[in-house]
Amino acid sequence: MRLVIARCSVDYAGRLTAHLPSAPRLILVKADGSVSIHADDRAYKPLNWMSPPCTLKEGVDGEEGVWTVVNKAGEKLIITMEEIMHDSSHELGVDPGLIKDGVEAHLQELLADRIETLGEGWTLIRREYPTAIGPVDILCRDADGATVAVEIKRRGEIDGVEQLTRYLELLNRDPHLAPVKGVFAAQEIKPQARVLATDRGIDCAVLDYDALRGIEDDKLRLF
């Protein structure tokens, strides 16, 4: 990971345009190629970013101090450096992934054991399917043989949809798996997360923990 603290301005050109005026900011360049710009607030959420796959070029067309990040859709993030105060790179290695709490981990185990509850004829490929950016909770196939990636949360929020989106972008580059569909599964799914998932072609499944344990009706509701 590369960490750069710089006074800079940022322009985004794509489906819309956006401008960040000159100010000191933190720029993160990750091993997956993503670039994000952060202020000293807003917790984890960046001011602007470009998700992989994308390319970063420094000093384009002789413009020293200008970074241009371009994604596969041709959208651009242009960072104009005025003063670099810090620039360092660090090798973080492979991340072991998030350790889930008991209920979330058990949901994954139960759903993997009874994957047909997502649809008749569905079959499990494996749990914790490894990728370069972390393990996918469940990888399976639907009745038509299409690959499906399932992300499981106790509470389904926008962050979970974003996480599944990144997995799908990566998995769909593998010709042995593509095309890969997504299912966002949780005990409760927030309305904003459902809207984002629908917009990205991701199905949502509401999980009943007791039902999966066999206490009540064992059917899931797919929306």
Side-chain angles (χ1 to χ4, degrees):
M1 179 183 292
R2 184 178 178 185
L3 309 175
V4 178
I5 299 175
R7 178 175 292 279
C8 62
S9 60
V10 183
D11 291 279
Y12 170 81
R15 288 165 292 182
L16 48 80
T17 58
H19 175 72
L20 292 173
S22 175
R25 297 192 175 91
L26 168 65
I27 303 166
L28 297 181
V29 183
K30 295 187 177 181
D32 63 3
S34 63
V35 178
S36 56
I37 296 97
H38 299 258
D40 199 9
D41 63 3
R42 300 161 57 93
Y44 61 88
K45 189 174 177 65
L47 296 165
N48 214 326
W49 67 94
M50 192 70 81
S51 299
C54 57
T55 57
L56 166 62
K57 294 183 179 179
E58 300 180 39
V60 179
D61 296 329
E63 293 186 73
E64 204 169 317
V66 176
W67 290 15
T68 302
V69 188
V70 184
N71 67 10
K72 62 181 179 181
E75 299 167 319
K76 292 183 180 181
L77 197 64
I78 301 169
I79 308 168
T80 303
M81 303 290 190
E82 298 171 17
E83 178 188 3
I84 295 178
M85 293 166 268
H86 176 86
D87 188 348
S88 63
S89 297
H90 307 269
E91 180 57 56
L92 302 185
V94 178
D95 191 88
L98 179 68
I99 299 174
K100 301 176 183 294
D101 65 38
V103 172
E104 198 169 299
H106 199 205
L107 277 170
Q108 182 193 118
E109 181 182 349
L110 288 168
L111 189 57
D113 286 342
R114 303 170 66 182
I115 197 65
E116 70 280 356
T117 53
L118 286 176
E120 187 176 349
W122 287 44
T123 56
L124 178 70
I125 296 175
R126 69 168 289 175
R127 290 173 54 196
E128 299 288 335
Y129 185 87
T131 77
I133 57 174
V136 177
D137 285 340
I138 292 176
L139 198 69
C140 56
R141 295 194 188 280
D142 66 15
D144 297 323
T147 311
V148 184
V150 184
E151 180 64 28
I152 299 171
K153 301 292 183 186
R154 269 211 300 172
R155 176 181 294 180
E157 302 191 46
I158 284 177
D159 288 352
V161 179
E162 294 284 8
Q163 183 180 359
L164 179 53
T165 299
R166 291 193 293 271
Y167 287 143
L168 290 172
E169 287 177 351
L170 192 63
L171 292 169
N172 272 301
R173 295 184 218 165
D174 186 340
H176 299 293
L177 297 175
V180 184
K181 301 186 296 185
V183 171
F184 186 52
Q187 289 180 283
E188 173 193 1
I189 298 178
K190 295 294 184 180
Q192 300 94 329
R194 188 182 296 281
V195 169
L196 181 61
T198 300
D199 181 66
R200 294 183 176 179
I202 295 171
D203 288 330
C204 293
V206 177
L207 303 177
D208 186 323
Y209 184 57
D210 289 337
L212 280 173
R213 294 172 64 197
I215 295 174
E216 297 175 2
D217 178 46
D218 66 353
K219 292 182 181 177
L220 302 180
R221 301 188 303 280
L222 264 175
F223 301 90

